[in-house]
Amino acid sequence: MDFRWWDEAHATLWRIAESAELLEARHKARQTARETVAPLLAQARPDCGWTEEKARVLRALDAQGMTGILASAHNGLTLRLALTVWELASVDAGVATCSLSGSLAQMPIHDFGTEQQRERYLGRGELVHGALCLTEPLPGAGADAISLSGRMVQAGAGANGEPLLEIHKRGRFISHMDFAEFVVSAVEGDGSGVRGSGLVILEPGDAGEFERGSPVRKLGHRYASTTNPAFRLIVPAARLVGGYTMEQEVIIPCFSHRALLEPALRRMRALLGLMTAAKALSTVQEWFTSTEQKSQEAEFRLDMANLWATGEAAASLGFFAARLSDELDCAQDPSTADARLAALFSPAAKLFSSSSVAELLRQVAAWGEYGALSAIDLHARMVDAQIEDMYMGPAALQRRLVSAAMTGASFLAEFKKWTQEMDALAERMPQAGLRSLAEGMRLWQWTLERLQQQADTRGARLFCAARQGVTFAMADALCGLLAARSLALDVLVMERDSHSPDSKCVSIFHDLSILAAGHAASHTAQTCVELLCGYAERFPFSGIQRRALAEQRTKLCVSLRGMMDARERIAEFLRAQGCRRGNRTD
């Protein structure tokens, strides 16, 4: 089947249609994934260890520049990485993870490194593949660590008089270690000779023990490299990323490990969200192109419609977060409103993908007994999605980040303005399904304000960090609204853009947007009612507030009109495309 209409739509939706550089990056990544990587994967054994077959895949990525993107990127890192990760993840998520080996460990060096560090480690020489060693064995720390079990102490001075550091670090579930040529490791000073935390660069040739670790046995990401390494090395203090200062013979890193990691983790969360979202849309596309008998079950096509709409919303949110990240990287003043939004949208993109896509893949996979899906290994994709949920911190961490960012006064003011803009758009285009999104956004903010005011007889607040059943539920609802909003705005751009595909394509994307908005608004309504009314015995909810809630909920319910019609139209589109494919096969 010719999917140029989908490619053209995505180029406009993701705002890359005007950039020849980004279009070329996508084309190159797709060509590499389908023509080079896919045949190699067909010959490789899905073993947890590092094999020659996997090494050939890595060399193929190297040859096509898929592991050195950071060194060649000019106007922002994240969007170009996102397009590459998207295309590779559509073939295999483990391969997409391997492609990041030349970028993830380099990011802190790119952002904060000294001139000498950038010259040596940013892909210009033999040191191309790196590993970022953050997560430690329990009860150690992870991506958001305040304290670390990895330690650095002074170990005298080198021949040139420069201080030396003795590094002790054990890693857990670290990617790329089988082939890493350097490691960027998070460590903390002993408090006497070294004060504070930082990132230190380790190399296999350093004095001491550089143990790559045994392979981690895991069900997902089988074509990636994951081990539990251990390091006990002596390295010069100049390996501290960003440099150091000396105060009364005490080494003090110029940047803490958290400051060094913040931009890298912000970018990676958006990328991982897209990696998971790619599974949804590649499943829809593979079903389109399958030569096997299509399921004639209407319910199956409705489940596929849900998966398609959710995948498009997750992609729109992920690419918005990627663009926002690039804008922040290019900003003269990093302490801008963009920084606050990026701190919200990147974990929101990862959280929405990991919490929604895997569940919908499970629902679609239940139809595996029918011929429609036997050629698509949805079980592997579900497991991969669960693995990706753990990278850069599990869903609980993303919910904590979102729930902390969403209560800021500046964000809530911005969110209110977005709701008003959505109201105006809904008035001008009543058939676009924007009213349900506007009502969902309004109800979410109204509920948040009520929850923040509710208190029990002792004065304890209902909405507080310790009550994650409330804060996390509101974070989940917000992520759905943000994803639906991103898709709705992207579809409006596609409709008016000169590069837009034909009207039939615009129509199906309108239906996908209506369905995503309806799902987000429905979930928001359920969440808000449960939280406001479910705690009423301990946190009184007045009759006036109940009536106001009922009024807003009624408006939201009325606004859902046409949502299921849109799902039926998407299902009919899927049926028609399947029949057309089947007729050509015959």
Side-chain angles (χ1 to χ4, degrees):
M1 178 179 292
D2 186 352
F3 276 91
R4 281 179 294 182
W5 63 272
W6 210 354
D7 287 340
E8 292 172 6
H10 283 159
T12 306
L13 290 168
W14 303 339
R15 318 297 171 86
I16 63 173
E18 301 292 340
S19 173
E21 179 184 354
L22 292 176
L23 289 173
E24 176 60 26
R26 183 179 72 168
H27 174 73
K28 184 177 181 181
R30 178 175 301 175
Q31 192 173 32
T32 301
R34 298 182 182 180
E35 298 179 9
T36 304
V37 173
L40 290 173
L41 289 179
Q43 305 168 14
R45 292 175 289 109
D47 189 273
C48 291
W50 190 247
T51 63
E52 177 54 31
E53 292 96 332
K54 292 183 183 181
R56 280 202 295 269
V57 173
L58 181 64
R59 289 195 293 270
L61 295 175
D62 288 339
Q64 297 299 323
M66 299 291 103
T67 54
I69 295 172
L70 184 145
S72 59
H74 302 294
N75 300 319
L77 308 175
T78 317
L79 191 53
R80 187 168 177 181
L81 279 168
L83 293 169
T84 301
V85 165
W86 180 275
E87 295 298 336
L88 292 174
S90 296
V91 173
D92 184 82
V95 173
T97 302
C98 281
S99 75
L100 295 173
S101 64
S103 300
L104 179 54
Q106 293 172 338
M107 284 182 186
I109 302 171
H110 172 276
D111 297 327
F112 299 97
T114 64
E115 183 177 349
Q116 293 80 6
Q117 290 168 352
R118 292 177 181 175
E119 184 64 30
R120 181 169 176 79
Y121 299 105
L122 290 189
R124 299 183 180 91
E126 297 180 354
L127 304 179
V128 176
H129 305 294
L132 187 60
C133 187
L134 306 181
T135 309
E136 301 169 332
L138 297 176
D144 66 330
I146 297 176
S147 62
L148 300 164
S149 62
R151 285 289 179 265
M152 55 180 171
V153 299
Q154 279 205 48
N160 59 358
E162 182 176 6
L164 297 175
L165 296 173
E166 183 175 344
I167 305 298
H168 297 259
K169 175 78 173 184
R170 293 177 61 210
R172 179 174 178 266
F173 208 78
I174 305 302
S175 297
H176 320 316
M177 274 308 306
D178 282 305
F179 54 86
E181 292 145 356
F182 67 96
V183 175
V184 176
S185 180
V187 288
E188 193 159 20
D190 62 350
S192 55
V194 187
R195 191 187 313 155
S197 67
L199 298 180
V200 62
I201 305 170
L202 312 174
E203 296 183 14
D206 292 331
E209 300 174 4
F210 187 103
E211 297 182 12
R212 294 184 180 272
S214 57
V216 174
R217 294 188 177 277
K218 58 187 189 297
L219 296 176
H221 281 226
R222 302 294 293 275
Y223 294 105
S225 159
T226 309
T227 71
N228 294 330
F231 310 101
R232 185 171 182 173
L233 301 168
I234 303 293
V235 301
R239 296 275 191 85
L240 284 166
V241 176
Y244 65 95
T245 59
M246 294 289 293
E247 290 185 10
Q248 299 178 346
E249 299 185 351
V250 175
I251 297 174
I252 303 176
C254 292
F255 303 97
S256 71
H257 77 285
R258 301 191 76 184
L260 291 167
L261 289 170
E262 190 279 326
L265 298 185
R266 180 231 310 154
R267 300 182 191 111
M268 284 303 301
R269 289 185 175 111
L271 295 176
L272 287 167
L274 287 170
M275 190 182 298
T276 305
K279 294 175 174 57
L281 297 191
S282 64
T283 299
V284 176
Q285 181 170 342
E286 287 181 38
W287 182 80
F288 274 145
T289 58
S290 174
T291 58
E292 299 189 17
Q293 177 65 38
K294 306 295 182 183
S295 172
Q296 297 303 309
E297 293 288 338
E299 189 178 350
F300 165 76
R301 294 193 295 273
L302 293 174
D303 283 345
M304 286 291 285
N306 289 336
L307 179 65
W308 190 2
T310 300
E312 293 289 357
S316 284
L317 182 58
F319 277 105
F320 178 82
R323 294 193 302 272
L324 192 63
S325 188
D326 280 346
E327 291 172 9
L328 179 58
D329 288 340
C330 296
Q332 296 293 327
D333 180 9
S335 59
T336 61
D338 285 346
R340 292 188 290 272
L341 289 180
L344 171 65
F345 273 90
S346 286
K350 185 175 187 295
L351 176 57
F352 180 76
S353 287
S354 61
S355 62
S356 302
V357 172
E359 172 60 22
L360 288 170
L361 284 173
R362 184 193 63 78
Q363 294 178 16
V364 171
W367 294 91
E369 63 193 69
Y370 294 87
L373 294 167
S374 60
I376 306 174
D377 190 353
L378 289 181
H379 179 266
R381 295 184 186 188
M382 288 188 293
V383 173
D384 280 354
Q386 292 170 340
I387 294 289
E388 289 150 23
D389 182 30
M390 298 303 296
Y391 284 133
M392 300 298 124
L397 171 59
Q398 315 310 321
R399 289 187 173 98
R400 187 151 59 88
L401 294 172
V402 172
S403 60
M406 72 187 190
T407 55
S410 60
F411 170 72
L412 291 176
E414 187 81 3
F415 191 81
K416 185 176 183 179
K417 186 171 72 173
W418 293 346
T419 305
Q420 294 169 347
E421 291 171 352
M422 201 59 60
D423 273 328
L425 289 171
E427 288 292 333
R428 295 206 312 267
M429 294 171 288
Q431 302 303 317
L434 301 176
R435 178 60 63 193
S436 62
L437 185 54
E439 294 297 343
M441 294 170 68
R442 183 176 292 106
L443 177 59
W444 180 87
Q445 189 160 12
W446 183 86
T447 300
L448 179 64
E449 292 170 356
R450 304 286 89 71
L451 291 173
Q452 289 177 314
Q453 295 168 3
Q454 297 295 95
D456 63 12
T457 55
R458 299 173 301 169
R461 293 288 178 183
L462 174 57
F463 191 95
C464 61
R467 204 179 302 277
Q468 295 176 346
V470 178
T471 58
F472 283 11
M474 289 297 285
D476 283 339
L478 175 62
C479 290
L481 293 170
L482 294 179
R485 174 182 177 269
S486 296
L487 179 58
L489 295 178
D490 287 350
V491 170
L492 293 177
V493 168
M494 184 179 73
E495 185 177 31
R496 69 169 182 261
D497 195 277
S498 60
H499 294 278
S500 295
D502 58 40
S503 58
K504 185 175 182 181
C505 178
V506 173
S507 176
I508 196 65
F509 273 93
H510 266 303
D511 285 337
L512 291 166
S513 176
I514 291 171
L515 184 55
H519 282 154
S522 300
H523 178 234
T524 298
Q526 179 180 348
T527 299
C528 293
V529 170
E530 287 177 353
L531 296 181
L532 286 173
C533 300
Y535 289 96
E537 292 187 6
R538 296 166 56 196
F539 298 89
F541 192 55
S542 69
I544 295 175
Q545 290 177 322
R546 285 198 299 272
R547 287 190 291 274
L549 172 63
E551 181 180 347
Q552 292 204 50
R553 189 186 180 196
T554 300
K555 289 181 180 179
L556 189 152
C557 291
V558 172
S559 72
L560 295 176
R561 179 181 179 184
M563 167 189 167
M564 303 310 286
D565 289 331
R567 187 167 74 144
E568 293 281 356
R569 289 192 295 270
I570 298 168
E572 175 59 24
F573 180 86
L574 291 167
R575 187 197 66 78
Q577 295 296 322
C579 290
R580 189 174 299 120
R581 173 63 179 169
N583 291 336
R584 283 201 296 268
T585 301
D586 294 340

